[in-house]
Amino acid sequence: MSVKIGNIDLGAFPLLLAPMEDVSDPPFRFVCKQNGVDMMYTEFISSEGLIRDAAKSVAKLDIFEYERPIGIQIFGSEIDSMREATKIASAANPDLIDINYGCPVKNVACRGAGASLLQDIDRMVLMTRAVVEATHLPVTVKTRLGWDDNTKNVYEVAERLQDVGIQALTIHGRTRAQMYKGEADWTLIREIKQNPRIKIPIFGNGDVNSIEKAADWRLEYEIDGIMIGRAAIGYPWIFREIKHFFATGEYLPEPTISERVDVCRTHFEKSILWKGEKTGVFEMRRHYANYFKGLPDFKEYRMKLVSLENIQDIHSTLDEINERFQIEMA
């Protein structure tokens, strides 16, 4: 049985790339798509920013045909603004619109957006209905278990949001109070999936950072698919490795140093193309350590990569990394 969101067929057990601020941009999405991710989302986009035509928000609407299926994720605190932002986002022609009710960071949650809506389910329902009615596209939601341990209300959230028309729900197995600390708890996600009232796909998110967890939790928590976030940063191979294991029961070899360099280089080149030389070089700096995590004595190269400004110098350094570590890891 395929998992479907509206008319979008995601296959039997889809792997989704989480929307991550300052990470899930087109260059990063490109390398994840090459490695088998089934569906992706943009970085979350401020509804107020879209309405004001703010350059940073509008840039996040950029999507490409090879990325499909892809959702544009929006967030905000005002129902009217979310309604208007939905119309703007829909005009960019994504495959779906996703609402962020899960972001825990202070400058989002403390302004009445993101996970803050978990404190006011009635308002969340009204906002969701407004978004659903403002677009012809499927609407999905990403949220958390609740605001804190005393208000784990996502069971009610799932039922009520389904009733106003969302077509899939992704649940991060932490409360807002936990932020990204502690361990994700998927038991409530399983309870929601087992609820006979729930007919929409339920995706689990939080702490899936290995093939073993993906395989075990797929069975244990009975979810329809898994959303992966931080574990894909610098390691987009996680999608192909999990899918290969699901299909064959076998492990793929870890990426070679040449593969690491090649994918890092592709990410870098796409960053330059999309953002321009200056911004592309600067924003790529946050990724180098992740691509080469675990290499012995890599600090010297990391410091060099995050200081270089010339494109050719960066390419030369990547060549040097490839040559040196091929020999050392042979």
Side-chain angles (χ1 to χ4, degrees), residues 257 285 288-289 292 295-308 313-314 316-326 328:
I257 186 62
R285 291 174 178 173
Y288 295 123
F292 301 110
L295 292 186
D297 302 319
F298 189 74
K299 184 178 180 181
E300 173 189 344
Y301 287 108
R302 180 179 64 81
M303 297 302 292
K304 187 175 181 180
L305 285 167
V306 299
S307 63
L308 291 172
D313 289 342
I314 294 170
S316 296
T317 302
L318 290 173
D319 290 338
E320 187 180 338
I321 290 168
N322 189 31
E323 292 171 9
R324 173 181 165 180
F325 287 98
Q326 270 194 355
E328 291 192 6

Side-chain angles (χ1 to χ4, degrees), residues 208-229:
V208 179
N209 53 17
S210 68
I211 294 170
E212 292 80 10
K213 278 188 180 178
D216 291 346
W217 292 7
R218 175 185 185 178
L219 297 176
E220 183 176 355
Y221 297 109
E222 304 174 20
I223 29 77
D224 294 295
I226 290 172
M227 179 179 282
I228 296 173

